[in-house]
Amino acid sequence: MSDCIFCKIVAGEIPSTKVYEDDEVLAFNDIHPFARVHCLIIPKMHVASLADCAPEHQALLGRMLLLAPRLAKEQGLDAGFKTLVNTGRGGGQEVFHLHIHVFGGGDPVRRT
Ligand code: AMP
Ligand code: ZN
């Protein structure tokens, strides 16, 4: 997706602060953090949202979700962390490339 901001981050066309990368998944710090630690886990392939996932994405979703506690631990969130997946306009999604927010520390703002 040439106009997708997260695809551009995957391609290195937009800078990001990477905290994890493998062949299928990338994680980087959110540019507008709402907690002391706030990163985004994304698939390298373009998938617009959780609502666009199919059974073929099962392993990828599992890989992304399993990365959350690992990143949280690496970022020092020993007491716990939050995960959030906004889906669709009604779900508050602003960037239409699937991502899991992982955040915690400080006094996180509750997004509903
Ligand atoms: P959502 O509302 O779930 O779609 O959240 C999109 C998130 O992407 C927001 O928290 C933004 O701060 C974050 N974001 C947008 N552009 C960038 C960027 N270039 N680098 C890092 N995070 C970004
Ligand atoms: Zn994309």
Side-chain angles (χ1 to χ4, degrees), residues 5-6 28-32 40 86 92-95 99 101:
I5 192 165
F6 286 177
F28 52 90
N29 288 331
D30 195 293
I31 203 167
H32 294 127
L40 302 173
N86 293 324
Q93 187 174 4
E94 293 174 358
V95 176
H99 50 282
H101 296 258

Side-chain angles (χ1 to χ4, degrees), residues 44-100:
K44 286 190 168 177
M45 68 181 293
H46 182 84
V47 181
S49 81
L50 196 55
D52 296 282
C53 288
E56 72 212 52
H57 299 110
Q58 184 170 324
L60 178 63
L61 289 167
R63 186 188 284 225
M64 291 169 64
L65 201 53
L66 280 172
L67 185 57
R70 174 179 162 177
L71 287 184
K73 191 172 183 196
E74 286 175 2
Q75 306 279 325
L77 298 177
D78 298 321
F81 60 94
K82 292 178 185 285
T83 49
L84 174 69
V85 183
N86 293 324
T87 304
R89 299 226 175 267
Q93 187 174 4
E94 293 174 358
V95 176
F96 283 81
H97 180 128
L98 176 64
H99 50 282
I100 302 175

Side-chain angles (χ1 to χ4, degrees), residues 25-44:
V25 171
L26 180 67
F28 52 90
N29 288 331
D30 195 293
I31 203 167
H32 294 127
F34 45 85
R36 179 175 58 76
V37 173
H38 183 179
C39 48
L40 302 173
I41 300 172
I42 71 168
K44 286 190 168 177

